[in-house]
Amino acid sequence: MTTPLNPRPVAGVLWMLLTGANFVAVTAIVKHVGSGVPAPQAAFLRYVLGLVFLLPMIGPMRRARLDRRALTLFSVRGVVHSLGVMSWFYAMTKIPIAEVTAMNYLSPVYVTLGAALFLGERLALRRVMAVVVALIGVVIILRPGFREVSSGHIAMLGTAVLFAASYLIAKRMADLVSPAVVVGMLSVTVTIGLAPFAWAVWVTPTLLDVMWLFLVAGFATAGHFTMTMAFRAAPMTVTQPVSFLQLVWATLLGWLVFAEAIDIWVVTGGLIILAAVSFITWREAVLNRRAITPGVNAPKV
């Protein structure tokens, strides 16, 4: 994993907290809109309406002078993110908010594996153990054999893989170009990628649906921008665990606003994933400090 030249962990955590707030707002609005608009069309409208937020980014995008490699990476991110967004919108209409959020925690697990495979990060035994524990958390959430695993759950399994790939590309590009370019290129490529899928299922949306999806576009665009700022400020090992706070907000939101029962298995599985990734983050911080100032009483974890 590429480390920022001047790491600012506190800033990274704050940016990721703001990212979580933005994405929880997106979750609430999409759940409110429900299945009145087909998932591919809702996803497309979110992005096409969000193009208005590109206006401040046009200048940086033009000045970036992206080479063929950068354009290829942005295009690949557009494809995988388009598929991920459609799967996520679909899952939101089929399963509770807390389950969508908890299963989305698979993305950091795949990010950890992808960072080792594609960004040159060393995959130590502790990370392997954390991945295994996180997957146990996912099994607890799904409980296959004890309840029905719906199409929404399957969609979220695919969503996690696709978003992880998107985040890894975003991390690589955030080290090369400005956040405005990263967010702007995502908006353009995903809008193009979603267009044919939206056209295939198009229904005439109500004005209220359009207004809600415009709010989704605003919060989502802000979320991608703050996420990119978090990546630039601190390593993923610092910023990713903060995203687990979204489970708390999502569970409370589903309970208070949408009358969704609090599933102790979903919460437990999410907390297990949180514990696994948080342990790795803490352990790496200990090793980094010890590398700078060796201590006799350093814990042998």
Side-chain angles (χ1 to χ4, degrees), residues 148-169:
E148 178 187 4
V149 178
S150 72
S151 58
H153 295 117
I154 295 172
M156 279 308 301
L157 289 172
T159 298
V161 175
L162 294 164
F163 280 170
S166 176
Y167 293 162
L168 285 168
I169 297 173

Side-chain angles (χ1 to χ4, degrees), residues 69-103:
R69 176 177 174 274
L71 290 173
T72 299
L73 285 172
F74 278 129
S75 297
V76 171
R77 189 188 185 205
V79 170
V80 298
H81 207 90
S82 295
L83 297 173
V85 168
M86 284 190 292
S87 297
W88 185 84
F89 269 73
Y90 175 79
M92 281 299 303
T93 67
K94 299 297 181 181
I95 59 178
I97 291 177
E99 293 190 28
V100 170
T101 303
M103 291 191 66

Side-chain angles (χ1 to χ4, degrees), residues 110-176:
Y110 294 138
V111 165
T112 298
L113 295 174
L117 293 173
F118 303 111
L119 300 185
E121 184 171 345
R122 179 173 172 268
L123 189 61
L125 178 60
R126 292 182 183 87
R127 287 198 173 191
V128 175
M129 294 172 61
V131 169
V132 171
V133 171
L135 292 176
I136 291 173
V138 173
V139 172
I140 291 174
I141 292 170
L142 291 178
R143 303 192 301 286
F146 294 91
R147 69 164 184 173
E148 178 187 4
V149 178
S150 72
S151 58
H153 295 117
I154 295 172
M156 279 308 301
L157 289 172
T159 298
V161 175
L162 294 164
F163 280 170
S166 176
Y167 293 162
L168 285 168
I169 297 173
K171 173 60 179 174
R172 173 58 61 87
M173 299 313 298
D175 295 329
L176 303 176

Side-chain angles (χ1 to χ4, degrees), residues 38-264:
Q41 180 183 344
F44 172 74
L45 288 173
R46 166 264 180 270
Y47 273 91
V48 78
L49 292 170
L51 291 178
V52 67
F53 300 107
L54 279 183
L55 294 178
M57 305 175 192
I58 292 176
M61 290 171 66
R62 292 180 62 183
R63 291 191 296 271
R65 299 184 180 278
L66 302 174
D67 57 20
R68 179 176 297 180
R69 176 177 174 274
L71 290 173
T72 299
L73 285 172
F74 278 129
S75 297
V76 171
R77 189 188 185 205
V79 170
V80 298
H81 207 90
S82 295
L83 297 173
V85 168
M86 284 190 292
S87 297
W88 185 84
F89 269 73
Y90 175 79
M92 281 299 303
T93 67
K94 299 297 181 181
I95 59 178
I97 291 177
E99 293 190 28
V100 170
T101 303
M103 291 191 66
N104 212 36
Y105 291 163
L106 268 176
S107 289
V109 175
Y110 294 138
V111 165
T112 298
L113 295 174
L117 293 173
F118 303 111
L119 300 185
E121 184 171 345
R122 179 173 172 268
L123 189 61
L125 178 60
R126 292 182 183 87
R127 287 198 173 191
V128 175
M129 294 172 61
V131 169
V132 171
V133 171
L135 292 176
I136 291 173
V138 173
V139 172
I140 291 174
I141 292 170
L142 291 178
R143 303 192 301 286
F146 294 91
R147 69 164 184 173
E148 178 187 4
V149 178
S150 72
S151 58
H153 295 117
I154 295 172
M156 279 308 301
L157 289 172
T159 298
V161 175
L162 294 164
F163 280 170
S166 176
Y167 293 162
L168 285 168
I169 297 173
K171 173 60 179 174
R172 173 58 61 87
M173 299 313 298
D175 295 329
L176 303 176
V177 297
S178 71
V181 175
V182 175
V183 176
M185 289 300 297
L186 179 71
S187 297
V188 171
T189 55
V190 174
T191 301
I192 295 171
L194 290 172
F197 296 98
W199 177 261
V201 297
W202 189 268
V203 298
T204 303
T206 67
L207 179 60
L208 187 58
D209 286 336
V210 172
M211 291 174 61
W212 280 120
L213 290 169
F214 181 76
L215 282 178
V216 170
F219 282 117
T221 301
H224 284 291
F225 183 82
T226 54
M227 181 181 69
T228 304
M229 292 297 293
F231 288 166
R232 288 175 66 91
M236 278 188 178
T237 50
V238 173
T239 59
Q240 281 293 343
V242 181
S243 67
F244 289 112
L245 285 174
Q246 291 181 42
L247 179 60
V248 177
W249 317 137
T251 301
L252 291 175
L253 184 70
W255 178 51
L256 294 173
V257 179
F258 298 102
E260 296 176 348
I262 296 178
D263 190 329
I264 189 62

